[in-house]
């Protein structure tokens, strides 16, 4: 997992457990765009609106579908903050 990214492994396990055979089925089910699905596959951040749509569609909570990875600060940014 890349620093600063989101781990959606819990989402894919939940999708599979609900009998959803293909990730693309999540698009109409949760009314999300193909771009959101692409971001999920890359472990990128998505909007809270999209997150809510997915949670409603899967009847779950945000913590059930993702884990935040530690965000590492740029060393130059840390120096500037001191």
């Amino acid at each position: 997992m890349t620093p600063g990214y989101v781990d959606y492994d819990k989402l894919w396990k939940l999708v599979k457990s609900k009998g959803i055979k293909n990730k693309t089925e999540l698009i109409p089910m949760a009314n999300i765009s193909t771009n959101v699905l692409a971001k999920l596959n890359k472990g990128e951040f998505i909007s809270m609106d999209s997150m809510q749509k997915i949670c409603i569609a899967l009847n779950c909570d945000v913590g059930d579908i993702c884990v935040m990875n530690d965000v590492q600060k740029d060393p130059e940014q840390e120096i500037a903050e001191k």
Side-chain angles (χ1 to χ4, degrees), residues 32-54:
I32 58 172
S33 69
T34 55
N35 291 338
V36 170
L37 184 62
K39 287 182 176 191
L40 291 168
N41 282 316
K42 294 177 189 174
E44 295 178 358
F45 295 107
I46 63 170
S47 72
M48 288 304 294
D49 182 55
S50 296
M51 190 74 70
Q52 181 183 28
K53 289 178 180 181
I54 294 167

Side-chain angles (χ1 to χ4, degrees), residues 38 53 64 74:
K53 289 178 180 181
D64 298 328
D74 179 1

Side-chain angles (χ1 to χ4, degrees), residues 1-2 5 7 16-17 22 26 28 32 34 43-48 50 52 55 57 61 64 73 75:
M1 198 164 37
T2 307
Y5 280 67
D7 181 353
K16 187 175 180 179
S17 75
N22 192 317
L26 198 54
I32 58 172
T34 55
E44 295 178 358
F45 295 107
I46 63 170
S47 72
M48 288 304 294
S50 296
Q52 181 183 28
C55 288
D61 193 74
D64 298 328
K73 288 187 177 182

Side-chain angles (χ1 to χ4, degrees), residues 21-35:
K21 296 176 184 173
N22 192 317
K23 292 179 182 180
T24 57
E25 291 180 44
L26 198 54
I27 294 170
M29 183 180 184
N31 194 28
I32 58 172
S33 69
T34 55
N35 291 338

